[in-house]
């Protein structure tokens, strides 16, 4: 109720604002913007009077109005993503002038603007490929639940790696592979000029991956520019080696106040088909005669003549309708925003509320059992243990400060609460108790040793309150000089806990002895401060040569303060650790600062050949004291060769741009990785324990950041009157000074490891994007986007690092990082013809061999958008492909070890499955898991969207100027896969650092169906 009250209050305040008073002096320019091919209206096109702050956005019917236009002749410029910009010189006659504009489609306009470290610049002048996602138009039809979903399958070289299928969990973003063995592989994220935190939330008791980026509301975003590697992101310095996401939130435009309302209702479900658990029954053979008692008789025992099998039972508590904890649950969203302004103020206000219940529900039989045992019904949080609520507020404002300066304020606030089911790697958790249960309905309703109601009675809760704000001053004292100052803060306060009341929860599992009750709790405050100063001087050196010189200085500081408490054995009714019999507490403080400066020089020749050179230098408090500053240079060239007079004129080849770039960027070590420090301990002295200090880490005074150097080359080409646009890119990047925790000899007497710069990792590959306008008729349009990449990754050098040699995910020089290694199954044969494999019938390799990479080598996304009835009805689909990688099929491996998979119980199981099961359970065969390294290729039907823009007359009946209705499905199903498990995207290994691919303790992906209504006023 608190969140709803805040949202209503903000809307009330916004409603009290008067409509902006636009200037009444001058003339009025109005008109309509349409698609030249379909003659249909274009919404959200920007119409600007060049040289002034006057402008407007087109409405749902493509119409615009600009008031207060001075002079007798003006330039009207119309810009919309996906169309060629158009500029007209218009003579004003009378009080009103009508200017109608028809735009030609151009999927990849070279005149489009991208955001870089020095400010905005045209795509044609930038020597790298930059992908842009227009989130403002996409979110209305894609109904994305988080920002990562806007990127998924839409950008070559960008992989969104799913984690667990739970409401509120996070996926990972990998751009051009994995570069670090120990540090983060996530990109740097910037929102309205401020660096924001994307680290795992502290005190995450959900046992699933949750990143701080999850709280960013996709409905507030206007666009996302993706700088893919160091050759593009060098000026962002230490933190940008993995690429940069530059996010702009929505802004107001000059004109009357425009209100928008969006509402969603839908459902969330768990569509997976879970495997049955097996149990083989039989009789022991005593002197060749079956005994009377029924016993477990696995196929291996049967083959050795120890028992005779007489029956096989199966049961799965996740699939049985009486015991399953899964149920289809609701999702709802309501958002309202307003934007507008005049020459004195432009503004955007927005508020949104999301409520989603994950697809978990306590079975009715368990509710009845617990009601009987406790005398009261389980709480709502125990019955529905996966709930997400989030209230998001945003206010963006732009003020002119005289004629030469503008001040922009960007503010965002979110209040997010997440309840997660007790799962993960706990023996008493949901997955362990259900996946590894025997193949019959046990006394625990099919579970292994815990009732489902007791499992779901363990509450795991997280609340985050986040404020992200920035102020940006742009000052142009002269026509040739532009100055920029950005000051910002990203602050996140969190509170999380795991809790079970006395006489509730699991009997064993996470902390309290038995059902005595307990609570683990964490309170944390993370703050990231940003200061960014920059100036750009532009000169015309000759009629054909222009110059831009940019300089800048930056300062960033991160602080994190965290307190952790634990209390076990609670009295009845108690809910705080204070009342527990067993109590512990600890606190953690981390502070880190970065100081940087850069200079960049750009030259342009006839606006077709562009040369760039730059260098940035950084100092970070996490560097060793002997490390000094780190320099990050960059050089780039962009050549629009088709603009040359001598270039052959052709209706088939419209534009051709050649580009190349080289650059470096870094990733900083952990805050205390370079430090020598002491830790507190107790030691026996005189028969009593007394406090003492010991050397906990020897530090490393020479510790440096990991530095990644990248070269990128490619071309952009537009064909057949801009109907086909192609971007082709080759890249190679190498990370040196990669950090690794190298083990120390025990003689050091200080810690087990030391952080050292000793490794090198290489990623190389090719990216290809096609944007094709296949049909453009008034009755049917068909646009297709196909993107894909091929990425090869390997560990080039490990120095003197003592790399792990255990089977599974391993790092080996000359092979992909986090590749899969084990002793291979050379062959197997059923020698005695009984249909059952034993140890003696399997041949295993003597040493571990490489099976394959865990991250996709190939990825592709294919989007098709069909428009009917002048694009009033649109149907869009997105298919997502990943391939060339392997999954360490952990669930099936552990099921066979526990004895409940088919391969160890059913004599008719395929021999290959039996071979995998026998080797993993056999000490004679080294317990090799080779048989569970399985291919992970798949094609998923990622999105389906059907949207209809109501005719203006219909929208008018709703008192609206425009109205759209959309039905959206997400994660609809697998079209094809080589993966034999439940879901090829289940990955319990994915996180910010490192890699790997293992479905162990990771629930399959969720499916969403949503009905969305958008209204404009």
């Amino acid at each position: 109720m608190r969140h709803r009250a805040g949202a209503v209050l903000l809307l009330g305040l916004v409603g009290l604002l008067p409509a902006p008073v636009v200037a009444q002096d001058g003339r009025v320019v109005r008109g309509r913007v349409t698609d030249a091919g379909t003659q249909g209206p274009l919404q959200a096109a920007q119409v600007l009077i060049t040289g002034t702050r006057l402008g407007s956005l087109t409405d749902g019917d493509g119409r615009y109005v600009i008031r207060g236009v001075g002079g007798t002749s003006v330039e009207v410029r119309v810009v919309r993503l996906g169309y060629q910009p158009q500029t007209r010189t218009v003579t004003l006659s009378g009080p009103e002038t009508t200017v109608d504009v028809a735009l030609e489609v151009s999927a990849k306009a070279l005149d489009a603007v991208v955001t870089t470290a020095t400010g905005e610049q045209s795509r044609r002048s930038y020597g790298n490929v930059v992908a842009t996602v227009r989130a403002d138009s996409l979110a209305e039809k894609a109904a994305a639940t988080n920002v990562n979903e806007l990127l998924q399958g839409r950008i070559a070289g960008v992989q969104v790696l799913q984690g667990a299928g739970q409401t509120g969990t996070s996926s990972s973003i990998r751009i051009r592979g994995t570069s670090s063995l120990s540090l983060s592989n996530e990109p740097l994220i910037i929102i309205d000029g401020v660096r924001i935190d994307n680290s795992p939330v502290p005190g995450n008791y959900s046992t699933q991956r949750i990143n701080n980026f999850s709280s960013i509301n996709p409905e507030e975003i206007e666009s996302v520019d993706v700088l893919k590697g160091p050759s593009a992101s060098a000026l962002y310095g230490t933190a940008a080696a993995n690429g940069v996401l530059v996010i702009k939130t929505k802004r107001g435009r000059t004109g009357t106040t425009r209100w928008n309302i969006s509402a969603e209702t839908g459902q969330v479900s768990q569509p997976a088909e879970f495997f049955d658990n097996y149990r083989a029954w039989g009789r022991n053979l005593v002197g060749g005669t079956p005994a009377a008692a029924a016993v477990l008789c696995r196929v291996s025992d049967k083959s050795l003549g120890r028992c005779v099998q007489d029956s096989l039972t199966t049961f799965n508590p996740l699939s049985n309708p009486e015991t399953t904890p899964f149920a289809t649950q609701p999702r709802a969203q309501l958002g309202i925003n307003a934007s507008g302004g005049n020459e004195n103020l432009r503004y955007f206000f927005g508020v949104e509320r999301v409520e989603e219940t994950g697809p978990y529900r306590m079975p009715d039989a368990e509710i009845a059992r617990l009601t009987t045992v406790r005398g009261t019904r389980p709480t709502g949080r125990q019955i529905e243990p996966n709930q997400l609520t989030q209230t998001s507020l945003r206010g963006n404002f732009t003020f002119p400060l005289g004629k030469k300066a503008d001040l922009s304020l960007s503010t965002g606030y979110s209040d997010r609460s997440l309840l997660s089911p007790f799962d993960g790697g706990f023996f008493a958790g949901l997955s362990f108790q259900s996946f590894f249960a025997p193949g019959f309905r046990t006394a625990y309703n099919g579970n292994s040793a815990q009732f489902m109601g007791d499992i779901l009675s363990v509450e795991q809760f997280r609340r985050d309150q986040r404020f992200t704000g920035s102020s940006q001053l742009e000052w142009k004292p002269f026509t040739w000089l532009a100055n920029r100052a950005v000051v910002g803060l990203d602050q996140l306060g969190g509170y999380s806990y795991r809790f079970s009341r006395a006489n509730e929860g699991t009997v064993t599992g996470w902390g309290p002895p038995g059902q005595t009750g307990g609570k683990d709790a964490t309170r944390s405050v993370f703050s990231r401060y940003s200061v960014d100063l920059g100036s750009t001087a532009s000169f015309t050196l000759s009629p054909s040569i222009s110059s831009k010189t940019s300089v800048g200085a930056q300062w960033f500081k991160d602080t994190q303060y965290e307190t952790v408490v634990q209390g076990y054995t609670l009295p009845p009714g108690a809910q705080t650790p204070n009342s527990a019999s067993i109590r512990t507490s600890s606190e953690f403080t981390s502070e880190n600062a970065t100081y940087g400066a850069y200079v960049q020089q750009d030259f342009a020749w006839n606006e077709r050949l562009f040369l760039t050179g730059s260098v940035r230098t950084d100092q970070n408090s996490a560097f060793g004291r002997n490390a000094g500053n780190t320099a990050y240079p960059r050089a780039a060239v962009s050549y629009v060769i088709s603009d040359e007079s001598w270039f052959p004129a052709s209706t088939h080849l419209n534009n051709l741009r050649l580009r190349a770039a080289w650059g470096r960027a870094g990733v900083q070590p952990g805050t205390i990785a370079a430090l020598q420090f002491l830790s507190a301990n107790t030691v026996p002295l005189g028969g009593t324990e007394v406090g003492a200090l010991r050397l906990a880490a020897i530090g490393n005074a020479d510790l440096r950041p990991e530095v990644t150097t990248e070269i990128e080359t490619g071309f952009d080409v537009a064909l057949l009157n801009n109907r086909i646009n192609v971007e082709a890119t080759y890249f190679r990047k190498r990370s040196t000074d990669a950090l690794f925790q190298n083990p120390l000899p025990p003689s050091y007497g200080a810690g087990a490891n030391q952080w050292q710069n000793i490794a090198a990792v290489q990623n190389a590959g090719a990216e290809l994007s096609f944007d094709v306008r296949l049909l453009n008729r008034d009755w049917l349009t068909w646009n297709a986007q196909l993107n894909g990449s091929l990425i090869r990754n390997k560990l080039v050098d490990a120095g003197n690092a003592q790399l792990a040699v255990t089977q599974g995910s391993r790092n080996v020089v000359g092979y992909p990082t986090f590749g899969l290694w084990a002793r291979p199954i050379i062959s197997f044969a059923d020698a005695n013809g009984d249909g059952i494999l034993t140890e003696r019938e399997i041949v295993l390799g003597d040493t571990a061999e490489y099976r394959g990479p865990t991250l996709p080598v190939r990825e592709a996304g294919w989007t098709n958008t069909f428009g009917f009835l002048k694009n009033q009805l649109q149907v869009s689909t997105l298919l997502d492909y990943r391939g060339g990688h392997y999954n360490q099929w952990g669930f099936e491996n552990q099921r066979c070890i526990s004895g409940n998979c088919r391969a160890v119980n059913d004599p008719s199981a395929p021999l290959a499955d039996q071979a995998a099961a026998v080797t993993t359970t056999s000490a004679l065969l080294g317990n090799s898991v080779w048989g569970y390294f399985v291919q992970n290729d798949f094609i998923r039907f990622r999105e389906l969207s059907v949207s209809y823009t109501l005719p203006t007359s219909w929208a008018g009946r709703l008192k609206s100027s425009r109205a759209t209705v959309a039905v959206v499905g997400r994660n609809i199903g697998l079209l094809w896969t080589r993966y034999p498990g439940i879901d090829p995207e289940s990955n319990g290994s994915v996180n910010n650092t490192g890699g790997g691919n293992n479905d162990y303790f990771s629930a399959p992906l969720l499916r969403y169906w949503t009905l969305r209504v958008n209204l404009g006023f």
Side-chain angles (χ1 to χ4, degrees):
M1 293 299 294
R2 218 172 32 243
H3 308 315
R4 293 188 179 94
V8 171
L9 176 61
L10 178 67
L11 287 176
L13 293 174
V14 173
L16 292 175
L17 286 173
V21 181
V22 293
Q24 298 302 311
D25 296 334
R27 308 171 191 267
V28 175
V29 175
R30 67 171 72 240
R32 192 166 186 251
V33 180
T34 58
D35 183 302
T38 66
Q39 287 79 53
L42 291 179
Q43 181 182 349
Q46 295 186 45
V47 186
L48 308 170
I49 305 299
T50 59
T52 74
R53 293 191 176 100
L54 298 176
S56 179
L57 285 177
T58 57
D59 63 17
D61 195 38
R63 301 188 183 278
Y64 70 92
V65 178
I66 303 175
R67 305 180 188 277
V69 182
T72 58
S73 178
V74 296
E75 278 193 349
V76 177
R77 182 170 174 81
V78 184
V79 180
R80 192 180 189 277
L81 186 70
Y83 290 82
Q84 299 179 47
Q86 193 172 133
T87 301
R88 287 191 185 179
T89 300
V90 178
T91 300
L92 304 181
S93 58
E96 288 194 1
T97 302
T98 299
V99 182
D100 294 332
V101 179
L103 297 181
E104 295 284 350
V105 172
S106 177
K108 299 286 185 183
L110 290 180
D111 291 330
V113 172
V114 297
T115 303
T116 68
T118 59
E120 293 184 341
Q121 64 183 93
S122 67
R123 187 183 299 270
R124 67 163 48 222
S125 67
Y126 202 61
N128 294 83
V129 61
V130 178
T132 299
V133 174
R134 291 295 306 190
D136 51 355
S137 57
L138 186 60
E140 289 188 359
K141 299 173 183 178
T145 63
N146 56 64
V147 180
N148 288 11
E149 291 178 352
L150 297 175
L151 307 178
Q152 199 164 39
R154 291 186 168 89
I155 303 174
V158 177
Q159 298 179 5
V160 176
L161 305 177
Q162 299 295 150
Q166 282 184 15
T167 288
T169 57
S170 301
S171 53
S172 269
I173 301 174
R174 293 290 183 271
I175 302 178
R176 293 181 174 174
T178 296
S179 297
S180 180
L181 301 179
S182 307
L183 301 182
S184 175
N185 284 286
E186 298 282 313
L188 173 65
I189 300 173
I190 297 174
I191 297 182
D192 293 338
V194 175
R195 298 189 179 196
I196 71 160
D197 180 50
N198 187 29
S199 59
V201 297
N204 177 14
Y205 295 110
S206 76
T207 66
Q208 304 293 348
R209 182 173 182 274
I210 302 174
N211 269 22
N212 286 325
F213 191 39
S214 300
S215 62
I216 301 300
N217 180 13
E219 298 285 343
E220 298 174 350
I221 294 176
E222 179 178 283
S223 65
V224 182
D225 288 336
V226 182
L227 310 182
K228 295 184 180 181
S231 62
S233 62
L235 282 192
Y236 291 96
T238 304
N242 301 312
V244 183
L245 304 184
V246 183
I247 297 175
K248 287 184 180 178
T249 59
K250 294 178 179 177
R251 300 280 164 172
R253 299 288 188 269
T254 301
T256 57
T257 302
R258 296 162 57 95
W259 291 87
N260 295 280
I261 298 177
S262 64
E264 291 180 15
T265 182
Q267 64 180 33
V268 188
S269 63
Q270 175 51 267
E273 297 181 5
F274 295 98
F275 294 168
D276 281 335
N277 297 333
Y278 283 76
R279 176 57 65 97
W281 302 94
R283 306 271 193 266
N284 281 333
L285 291 175
V286 181
T289 303
V295 297
L296 171 65
C297 181
R298 295 174 179 166
V299 293
S300 56
D301 295 321
K302 175 186 176 182
S303 178
L304 295 172
R306 296 170 181 167
C307 61
V308 58
Q309 221 180 63
D310 56 27
S311 62
L312 186 70
T313 60
T314 60
F315 187 81
N316 190 326
L318 299 179
S319 302
N320 186 284
E322 296 179 0
T323 61
T324 181
F326 294 115
T328 299
Q329 297 281 24
R331 171 183 167 84
Q333 174 264 352
L334 176 63
I336 304 176
N337 65 64
S339 64
N342 55 31
E343 288 188 319
N344 299 316
L345 168 66
R346 299 190 298 276
Y347 58 86
F348 173 89
F349 289 101
V351 59
E352 183 188 77
R353 173 72 173 181
V354 173
E355 296 184 356
E356 179 178 320
T357 302
Y360 293 84
R361 190 181 191 280
M362 187 182 293
D364 290 339
E366 283 296 283
I367 296 175
R369 182 186 67 82
L370 290 178
T371 302
T372 301
V373 170
R374 301 175 185 174
T376 59
R377 182 179 171 86
T379 67
R381 287 187 167 191
Q382 294 172 344
I383 293 175
E384 294 178 336
N386 190 198
Q387 302 177 32
L388 171 68
T389 60
Q390 179 166 327
T391 300
S392 302
L393 310 175
R394 175 156 292 278
N396 291 343
F397 312 90
T398 302
F399 311 86
L401 301 178
K403 295 182 178 181
K404 297 183 178 181
D406 285 315
L407 177 65
S408 296
L409 301 179
S410 172
T411 60
Y413 172 80
S414 65
D415 190 338
R416 173 186 171 96
S417 295
L418 175 64
L419 187 68
S420 303
F422 183 53
D423 201 350
F426 290 101
F427 167 78
L430 189 152
S431 293
F432 203 108
Q433 287 293 309
S434 55
F435 275 93
F436 306 129
F440 61 94
R441 191 159 181 171
T442 64
Y444 298 96
N445 265 330
N447 280 355
S448 179
Q450 305 283 336
F451 285 106
M452 187 62 71
D454 292 335
I455 296 171
L456 301 184
S457 292
V458 179
E459 293 185 19
Q460 298 184 143
F461 177 78
R462 173 78 186 181
R463 183 183 181 187
D464 291 303
Q465 294 174 292
R466 182 176 205 157
F467 172 80
T468 302
S470 67
S471 62
Q472 177 167 325
L473 175 65
E474 295 183 344
W475 178 40
K476 297 182 178 179
F478 310 105
T479 57
W480 55 269
L481 180 62
N483 301 299
R484 180 190 75 251
V486 182
V487 179
L489 169 67
D490 178 35
Q491 187 170 77
L492 192 146
Y495 171 61
S496 57
Y497 64 76
R498 179 182 295 123
F499 166 63
S500 65
R501 295 172 174 82
N503 304 313
E504 297 183 9
T506 56
V507 177
T508 60
W510 63 276
Q515 289 183 315
T516 60
K519 190 171 191 178
D520 296 341
T522 300
R523 291 189 184 273
S524 61
V525 176
F526 177 91
S527 302
R528 173 164 288 176
Y529 304 89
S530 300
V531 176
D532 179 8
L533 308 175
S535 294
T536 298
S538 303
F539 301 98
T540 300
L541 303 180
S542 73
S544 59
I545 300 177
S546 60
S547 165
K548 282 198 311 181
T549 303
S550 301
V551 296
Q554 297 172 332
W555 172 81
F556 308 105
K557 183 177 182 180
D558 294 350
T559 65
Q560 182 171 333
Y561 309 109
E562 183 178 323
T563 301
V564 180
V565 296
Q566 297 173 318
Y568 302 140
T569 308
L570 296 172
Q575 298 188 34
T576 63
N578 310 36
S579 2
S581 300
I582 306 169
R583 298 188 298 270
T584 61
S585 63
S586 61
E587 65 177 12
F588 172 80
T589 298
S590 172
E591 297 182 349
N592 178 269
T594 300
Y595 309 83
Y598 67 82
V599 59
Q600 176 168 296
Q601 179 62 52
D602 296 275
F603 292 104
W605 178 70
N606 286 333
E607 287 300 304
R608 65 190 63 155
L609 177 62
F610 305 88
L611 302 175
T612 300
S614 66
V615 64
R616 178 190 174 101
T617 179
D618 272 359
Q619 176 59 263
N620 184 277
S621 59
F623 297 173
R625 61 179 178 270
N626 297 334
N629 288 10
T630 300
Y632 303 108
R634 176 178 181 263
V637 59
S638 174
Y639 186 22
V640 187
I641 193 172
S642 56
D643 283 358
E644 295 288 1
S645 59
W646 47 262
F647 192 84
S650 171
T651 57
H652 301 297
L653 177 60
N654 308 114
N655 284 299
L656 175 61
R657 179 172 77 119
L658 309 178
R659 48 182 165 77
W662 171 89
R664 289 178 178 167
V667 179
Q668 69 196 44
T671 303
I672 60 174
L675 298 181
Q676 183 179 98
F677 59 90
L678 304 172
S679 64
N681 292 270
T682 59
V683 297
L685 182 64
T688 60
E689 293 288 327
V690 298
L693 296 175
R694 61 169 293 185
L695 189 61
I698 66 171
N700 185 346
D702 298 317
L703 199 66
R704 304 177 298 279
E706 294 186 359
V707 176
T708 302
T709 304
E710 180 186 59
I711 184 169
E712 174 192 303
T713 61
F715 65 86
D716 308 330
V717 61
L719 305 168
L720 302 179
N721 292 322
N722 294 302
R723 293 173 65 94
I724 300 175
N725 290 268
V726 181
E727 290 179 346
T729 304
Y730 168 80
F731 70 91
R732 186 179 74 250
K733 62 178 183 177
R734 178 168 175 153
S735 299
T736 55
D737 288 336
L739 285 161
F740 187 80
Q741 274 194 304
N742 221 9
L744 292 174
S747 58
Y748 272 74
N753 306 285
Q754 181 191 41
W755 285 104
Q756 299 175 1
N757 298 97
I758 52 178
V761 178
Q762 178 176 292
N763 290 274
E767 300 165 350
L768 195 60
S769 297
F770 291 90
D771 207 323
V772 185
R773 180 162 45 104
L774 295 168
L775 285 173
N776 194 27
R777 301 287 186 268
D778 57 354
W779 56 275
L780 174 63
T781 62
W782 179 11
N783 296 322
Q785 294 85 38
L786 177 64
N787 68 81
S789 67
L790 175 68
I791 300 174
R792 300 289 185 184
N793 164 276
K794 69 177 178 179
L795 178 62
V796 178
D797 184 17
N800 64 345
Q802 299 179 36
L803 300 173
V805 293
T806 55
Q807 65 175 345
S809 181
R810 185 191 294 185
N811 290 311
V812 179
V813 174
Y815 292 89
T817 55
F818 307 102
L820 295 178
W821 292 75
R823 290 175 62 189
I825 298 174
I826 304 299
S827 64
F828 55 84
D830 180 17
N832 61 4
D834 65 353
I836 300 172
L837 289 182
T838 63
E839 295 171 319
R840 305 296 180 184
E841 295 173 318
I842 300 172
V843 178
L844 207 65
D846 294 330
T847 58
E849 293 185 9
Y850 171 68
R851 181 58 168 159
T854 52
L855 285 178
V857 174
R858 303 180 296 273
E859 61 84 22
W862 183 22
T863 301
N864 285 281
T865 302
F866 302 92
F868 305 91
L869 306 174
K870 295 185 178 180
N871 277 327
Q872 279 187 272
L873 175 64
Q874 289 192 344
V875 178
S876 181
T877 62
L878 171 60
L879 305 184
D880 198 358
Y881 163 76
R882 315 280 171 81
H885 62 308
Y886 284 75
N887 189 303
Q888 188 176 342
W889 193 11
F891 261 132
E892 188 68 3
N893 178 35
Q894 293 299 319
R895 274 163 41 88
C896 290
I897 291 174
S898 68
N900 73 343
C901 73
R902 180 189 176 194
V904 301
N905 290 279
D906 186 356
S908 67
L911 293 182
D913 293 350
Q914 292 187 43
V918 170
T919 54
T920 195
T921 56
S922 170
L924 179 66
L925 297 176
N927 301 110
S928 172
V929 295
W930 179 272
Y932 296 104
F933 295 164
V934 294
Q935 291 180 300
N936 207 187
D937 304 43
F938 68 89
I939 300 175
R940 189 181 290 276
F941 193 169
R942 186 70 68 189
E943 288 179 16
L944 171 65
S945 172
V946 180
S947 63
Y948 181 66
T949 302
L950 276 63
T952 305
S953 58
W954 294 13
R957 297 175 187 174
L958 301 173
K959 308 301 182 183
S960 169
S961 60
R962 56 197 179 280
T964 303
V965 179
V967 176
V968 182
R970 181 172 297 281
N971 297 330
I972 298 169
L974 287 170
L975 301 182
W976 167 83
T977 184
R978 288 177 172 164
Y979 180 62
I982 298 171
D983 190 318
E985 290 192 88
S986 295
N987 189 350
S989 297
V990 66
N991 51 46
N992 285 30
T993 59
N997 189 14
N998 193 331
D999 69 347
Y1000 202 33
F1001 296 122
S1002 180
L1005 265 62
L1006 303 183
R1007 178 184 294 159
Y1008 289 81
W1009 285 105
T1010 304
L1011 172 66
R1012 180 181 175 109
V1013 177
N1014 303 295
L1015 299 176
F1017 300 91

